[in-house]
Amino acid sequence: MNEPIQDGWLASARRCPSPNYNDRPAGEAISLLVVHNISLPPGEFGGGYIEAFFCNQLPVNRHPYFEQIRDLKVSAHLLIDREGEAIQFVPFDRRAWHAGASTFQGRDECNDFSVGIELEGADQVPYTDAQYQRLAEVAGLLLSRYPAMTPERITGHSDIAPGRKTDPGPAFDWDYFRAQLAQRL
Ligand SMILES: [Zn+2]
């Protein structure tokens, strides 16, 4: 019974349930993985503000930037922090609110059919190897659990929302990530 993914939750992740989710369309297969980055305040790591933000508990008086995003209701399924720890906010079988207006291969509303993983980071800052390894591990588990998700259906937020989003940015080494993933498939 030690399934790596149980009832949509990654067994190895710490859970931080977010209220920011809803149901996927009936019968929708999970078929896309979207890689993002986030840091709060922007460019700063640690502090626990991403978790607070996704749970609508951001202490808005701590930083001027927090005032700008205080009313946003967003989430991702998972966050991978700089140490490679995974924190899960929404079960994979529910619809997290990470992609916004988006299109993948002609289909809009990527939140309907995707899993969103945030890397704690910034577009121009190299990601840690712990993050690449954890992302590859989790992606491998997701591909195994959700067969409609394939290596070709792993994309960046900037690819499904071009002109609007830039993450995970040029710092994300897709070739290295895909090589790490391939070793696990
Ligand atoms: Zn994003």
Side-chain angles (χ1 to χ4, degrees), residues 75-93:
S75 62
H77 291 93
L78 274 185
L79 167 70
I80 298 176
D81 72 12
R82 301 296 291 180
E83 285 70 47
E85 188 191 1
I87 302 101
Q88 186 163 2
F89 302 91
V90 175
F92 299 123
D93 51 356

Side-chain angles (χ1 to χ4, degrees), residues 2-126:
N2 290 316
E3 292 294 322
I5 297 174
Q6 297 179 353
D7 299 325
W9 293 94
L10 183 67
S12 58
R14 182 161 58 82
R15 296 187 192 185
C16 183
S18 168
N20 302 335
Y21 70 90
N22 56 1
D23 287 334
R24 296 183 185 276
E28 184 72 61
I30 297 170
S31 62
L32 183 69
L33 176 57
V34 181
V35 179
H36 301 258
N37 75 34
I38 187 172
S39 51
L40 289 177
E44 295 182 30
F45 305 144
Y49 297 122
I50 302 167
E51 291 176 50
F53 179 47
F54 286 164
C55 293
N56 304 335
Q57 295 174 347
L58 196 62
V60 293
N61 56 345
R62 295 283 176 81
H63 193 279
Y65 180 73
F66 296 167
E67 288 285 348
Q68 299 178 35
I69 60 172
R70 62 182 300 164
D71 294 326
L72 293 181
K73 298 279 190 293
V74 294
S75 62
H77 291 93
L78 274 185
L79 167 70
I80 298 176
D81 72 12
R82 301 296 291 180
E83 285 70 47
E85 188 191 1
I87 302 101
Q88 186 163 2
F89 302 91
V90 175
F92 299 123
D93 51 356
R94 299 300 179 97
R95 181 180 180 277
W97 301 344
H98 57 96
S102 52
T103 304
F104 182 80
Q105 293 183 354
R107 258 201 82 183
D108 294 338
E109 287 295 332
C110 294
N111 284 339
D112 287 349
F113 54 96
S114 68
V115 164
I117 298 184
E118 298 274 0
L119 301 174
E120 185 178 22
D123 290 4
Q124 309 288 344
V125 181

